[in-house]
Amino acid sequence: MGLDRAEGRAGRPRAPVRLQRPPLHPRPAHPVPAARTPGVDLLLGHRTTGLLQEGGRTAGVRVTTPDGERELRARLVVGADGKDSAVAGLAGIPTRRYANGRFGYLAHYRGLPLPGGLGQAWFLEPDMAYSFPNDDGVTVLAVLPDKKHLPAFRNDLEGSFEAFVRALPEAPPIDSAERVSKIIGTVDHPLITRDPTAPGIALIGDAALTGDPLWGVGCGWALQTAHWLAEEVAAAAAGGGDLDRSLAAYPRVHRRRIRPHQRLAVDFARSRPFNPMERLMFAAAARDARAARHMYLFASRLIGPFGFLNPRSVARAAAVNLRHRARRSQPVA
């Protein structure tokens, strides 16, 4: 998973943060008392089974606990419960699902060098693959093939995974490295979009919008949407102001910052051949440092689709590709 530390300053991109799950979820030797976080109650073993309604809006949740059922009342219920959000389902928030034409597997390797210590990406039309450095000297390899390859992976996961990696152009030397994890993945991961609010409810992260794992944006979007929600409603929630009015601003930010990226991801998830604009921009990014940096800004969500496809950048990409074609056509002395 990846976290992008550079949210708003497109002129100063920073390296992304990629951590293995254990560092993100440390297991404490002793339970951490909830009292250490003022205003937060940690309730383990609770499962949401219903929503409390008052005056046409949600006013809390009904949960099952090891001691039976109970009600938890709240001015705002936040659904942070993933792509299969129970909160969204109980609230009747419509779910729009988009098929994903690819599946994905990844594995962790030790002793696997990367050129310049940097990650790599393979856009293979329509297959995809990535390698990127993780913490503690570990390199992650991820493959996202078209579903036509799924029968072979189901028949022989390890053999198919390694054969796919070995066939990559300038493939990582996995035969000289040590695999230190299982090969894990998912064979069906639809993209999901929901309205991020309903009366008395807000959705964040995958509960509101589940992207394509191909782009590695899930953890980043979860943190960003939580931040945007807090910015909009914190003052009203803490001071007893008009919470519903403050909440109305959150979906506007959500739609403006994320939906354009999601629309492109939905289209690309069809596992189709590149369209002319993708071919132009992707090819230029592989041939020119400035075009590559521009691609990084877009893939890291530091600029949106319209910024990525601005006339100046498209013209530069065209010039890069024309120069490349001219050099290739020159006779060898």
Side-chain angles (χ1 to χ4, degrees):
M1 65 179 58
L3 309 180
D4 197 319
R5 296 182 295 180
E7 174 169 331
R9 306 181 69 175
R12 298 177 61 188
R14 306 174 190 171
V17 178
R18 299 182 183 92
L19 296 175
Q20 299 178 72
R21 188 167 294 275
L24 286 178
H25 299 271
R27 185 171 297 173
H30 304 287
V32 179
R36 293 186 183 178
T37 307
V40 175
D41 295 321
L42 177 63
L43 304 175
L44 301 177
H46 288 53
R47 184 171 65 88
T48 302
T49 58
L51 302 178
L52 307 179
Q53 300 291 325
E54 285 185 1
R57 70 187 307 278
T58 296
V61 296
R62 184 176 297 105
V63 299
T64 58
T65 77
D67 300 319
E69 288 196 352
R70 63 177 296 193
E71 294 182 352
L72 302 173
R73 309 190 74 80
R75 296 182 66 206
L76 177 64
V77 173
V78 178
D81 49 348
K83 66 183 182 65
D84 299 317
S85 172
V87 171
L90 292 168
I93 298 176
T95 297
R96 295 174 288 283
R97 293 179 178 268
Y98 305 94
N100 194 333
R102 299 180 183 87
F103 63 99
Y105 284 98
L106 64 83
H108 298 72
Y109 287 82
R110 193 177 299 280
L112 184 63
L114 294 175
L118 300 175
Q120 296 172 283
W122 289 265
F123 286 69
L124 300 173
E125 196 179 19
D127 301 334
M128 294 286 300
Y130 294 98
S131 66
F132 47 86
N134 233 27
D135 61 297
D136 195 28
V138 171
T139 296
V140 175
L141 291 182
V143 303
L144 297 110
D146 181 271
K147 282 188 174 177
K148 67 185 179 185
H149 299 290
L150 187 54
F153 273 74
R154 281 178 163 157
N155 183 57
D156 179 8
L157 175 57
E158 183 172 324
S160 296
F161 182 92
E162 293 180 349
F164 189 96
V165 172
R166 292 190 190 103
L168 295 171
E170 301 179 28
I174 57 173
D175 294 316
S176 61
E178 176 191 9
R179 180 159 59 86
V180 293
S181 76
K182 295 180 179 179
I183 300 174
I184 60 173
T186 179
V187 298
D188 189 35
H189 197 283
L191 287 71
I192 293 172
T193 302
R194 298 184 178 98
D195 292 333
T197 59
I201 288 180
L203 304 177
I204 63 173
D206 280 357
L209 187 146
T210 304
D212 190 340
L214 182 153
W215 302 107
V217 295
C219 195
W221 279 355
L223 296 175
Q224 286 177 310
T225 53
H227 175 69
W228 299 335
L229 176 63
E231 280 190 322
E232 299 300 339
V233 305
D242 190 336
L243 183 60
D244 289 342
R245 184 174 181 178
S246 299
L247 187 60
Y250 169 59
R252 293 195 292 268
V253 177
H254 199 282
R255 286 192 294 267
R256 185 178 73 251
R257 298 290 298 274
I258 294 184
R259 289 291 178 87
H261 288 279
Q262 180 75 336
R263 283 194 290 269
L264 290 183
V266 165
D267 183 55
F268 199 68
R270 293 189 293 125
S271 193
R272 50 160 177 73
F274 296 151
N275 63 41
M277 191 59 69
E278 290 167 346
R279 188 176 298 277
L280 174 74
M281 301 301 285
F282 293 169
R287 296 163 177 164
D288 178 78
R290 282 179 58 185
R293 182 177 180 277
H294 188 65
M295 179 73 181
Y296 160 80
L297 294 175
F298 171 65
S300 299
R301 304 173 314 282
L302 300 178
I303 59 175
F306 294 111
F308 178 57
L309 298 176
N310 70 75
R312 179 178 296 180
S313 297
V314 172
R316 177 175 177 79
V320 166
N321 291 332
L322 286 172
R323 286 197 299 269
H324 175 78
R325 186 177 300 175
R327 285 194 297 268
R328 292 190 62 183
S329 64
Q330 292 177 353
V332 177

